[in-house]
Amino acid sequence: MERKKEDVLFFPRVWLYARTGSGHRSVAEQQLAELREWANCNGYCIVGQSCECTKDNSFWRPGLFSMLRAVRRGDVDAVAVTRLSRFARKRSKLCKILADVGVGRSRPYFVGSI
C-alpha cells in the first residue's frame, strides 16, 4: 500500500546554532537550552548543534562552518537561532551567510527574532 506524504508524520530536521560575543560559555549554553526547548515543543528533530564563544569579530568560526556544511549536504531542513545577529552583526556578512545557506538542496528557514 502506497502512503501519501500527507499521511506520514514529518519531523523537520533542525540545527541549533548559538553564539555569544561576551566569551561566556554559559550565555551560549542558555541560548542552546532555549532553542532545544523550542524544538522539542514544536516537533523538530535535532540533528546537530553548534555553540561559539568569541570576543572578537573572528572569521574562524568552526560552529558556523559545521552548520553550513550540513545545510549544503541537505542534512538540515531548518536552522534555529535566537536572533539573526548570532550569525553576524554586520549586514554585509549576514547577507553573505544567508545567501550561502540558501545554496543547499533543501532551503532552511530561520527561527527566532531579528
Side-chain angles (χ1 to χ4, degrees), residues 39-75:
N40 290 330
C41 289
N42 289 290
Y44 285 83
C45 176
I46 300 170
V47 294
Q49 65 181 27
S50 45
C51 173
E52 296 176 324
C53 304
T54 57
K55 288 188 177 183
D56 56 354
N57 197 8
S58 174
F59 176 74
W60 181 247
R61 294 172 49 193
L64 177 67
F65 300 152
S66 296
M67 181 269 297
L68 291 174
R69 197 173 318 114
V71 168
R72 285 189 203 111
R73 282 192 315 248
D75 297 338

Side-chain angles (χ1 to χ4, degrees), residues 29-39 82:
E29 290 294 335
Q30 177 61 35
Q31 290 176 24
L32 280 178
E34 291 172 13
L35 292 171
R36 225 176 278 116
E37 181 181 349
W38 172 86
T82 55

Side-chain angles (χ1 to χ4, degrees), residues 67 71 76-79 101-110:
M67 181 269 297
V71 168
V76 176
D77 298 313
V79 176
V101 165
V103 171
R105 284 181 277 177
S106 60
R107 195 163 186 89
Y109 50 94
F110 297 91

